Amino acid sequence: GAGVSQSPSNKVTEKGKDVELRCDPISGHTALYWYRQSLGQGLEFLIYFQGNSAPDKSGLPSDRFSAERTGGSVSTLTIQRTQQEDSAVYLCASSLASGFTGELFFGEGSRLTVL
Amino acid sequence: GESVGLHLPTLSVQEGDNSIINCAYSNSASDYFIWYKQESGKGPQFIIDIRSNMDKRQGQRVTVLLNKTVKHLSLQIAATQPGDSAVYFCAENNAGNMLTFGGGTRLMVKP
């Protein structure tokens, strides 16, 4: 499809394990965002990539969280030593504009459950 | 991107009526505001935006009103349809790359 693709759609893991979540943005979109959505909550900003610039990591909640974007396209969000409070839906979004615009195109998310 | 919220405020309207969803934002320096719609199991979808130099903007069946004095944003949906049933989020930006999202309001449309 032509939209933002995320995988896996669902991930159940045990506390203490590492997980990787993948995002394939829309082709040609230079901006890529990761957000987290806990049950019944709004979206919490995690990290932002724009082209070849250094990412804005200001929203990452702890050093267990990291993300990379290879070749300006696919991004991977890694959570190390997962905790139960990491359980949430992790949403990726991409945007075409180089300046900030609120018109982000979201994927359907990866639901993470930490047992 | 499912937003299943037992504690989300809910607005229930009759099909064909107009809906008004309200949002209070926190940062007086925010200069850009957006409304998103999130259907069950999907990611949020952009609806309409407004910059702080405006107080009203209209789209197709939707209108956003901005009152900077009281830091209030509203989304009006005309002739609400069953397909409008979703969770609606307002978001604000005050420069930089981060959108700050509100907690969401669930809109339920009764046929």
Side-chain angles (χ1 to χ4, degrees), chain B residues 1 5-6 22 24 31 34-35 65 83 85 87-88 103 107-108:
Chain B
L6 295 178
N22 296 303
D31 59 2
I34 311 98
W35 280 100
L65 299 177
S85 294
V87 177
Y88 290 80
L107 175 66
M108 297 178 62

Side-chain angles (χ1 to χ4, degrees), chain A residues 76-97:
Chain A
T76 302
L77 176 69
T78 301
I79 309 172
Q80 296 178 309
R81 304 181 303 282
T82 52
Q83 304 295 313
Q84 289 182 334
E85 60 264 28
D86 298 335
S87 296
V89 176
Y90 289 82
L91 289 160
C92 175
S94 69
S95 176
L96 179 60

Side-chain angles (χ1 to χ4, degrees), chain A residues 36 44-47 57-67 77-83 85-86 90:
Chain A
R36 177 168 71 175
E44 176 189 5
F45 169 80
L46 297 177
I47 189 169
K57 304 179 182 180
S58 60
L60 294 178
S62 78
D63 59 9
R64 295 186 296 104
F65 288 73
S66 63
L77 176 69
T78 301
I79 309 172
Q80 296 178 309
R81 304 181 303 282
T82 52
Q83 304 295 313
E85 60 264 28
D86 298 335
Y90 289 82

Side-chain angles (χ1 to χ4, degrees), chain A residues 20-63:
Chain A
E20 286 189 350
L21 308 175
R22 176 187 167 107
C23 174
D24 251 298
I26 294 173
S27 177
H29 279 195
T30 58
L32 187 147
Y33 300 76
W34 282 99
Y35 281 83
R36 177 168 71 175
Q37 187 172 32
S38 300
L39 187 66
Q41 303 296 315
L43 280 72
E44 176 189 5
F45 169 80
L46 297 177
I47 189 169
Y48 162 77
F49 296 90
Q50 172 59 56
N52 296 321
S53 302
D56 177 350
K57 304 179 182 180
S58 60
L60 294 178
S62 78
D63 59 9

Side-chain angles (χ1 to χ4, degrees), chain A residues 7-14 17-22 79 82 86-90 109-115:
Chain A
S7 61
S9 55
N10 279 286
K11 175 71 176 179
V12 180
T13 191
E14 293 179 345
K17 301 283 189 181
D18 297 352
V19 297
E20 286 189 350
L21 308 175
R22 176 187 167 107
I79 309 172
T82 52
D86 298 335
S87 296
V89 176
Y90 289 82
S110 293
R111 179 180 295 278
L112 174 65
T113 303
V114 182
L115 302 176

Side-chain angles (χ1 to χ4, degrees), chain B residues 81-100:
Chain B
Q81 302 169 0
D84 295 327
S85 294
V87 177
Y88 290 80
F89 293 96
C90 66
E92 60 184 295
N93 172 260
N94 61 345
N97 308 315
M98 184 172 66
L99 275 179
T100 301

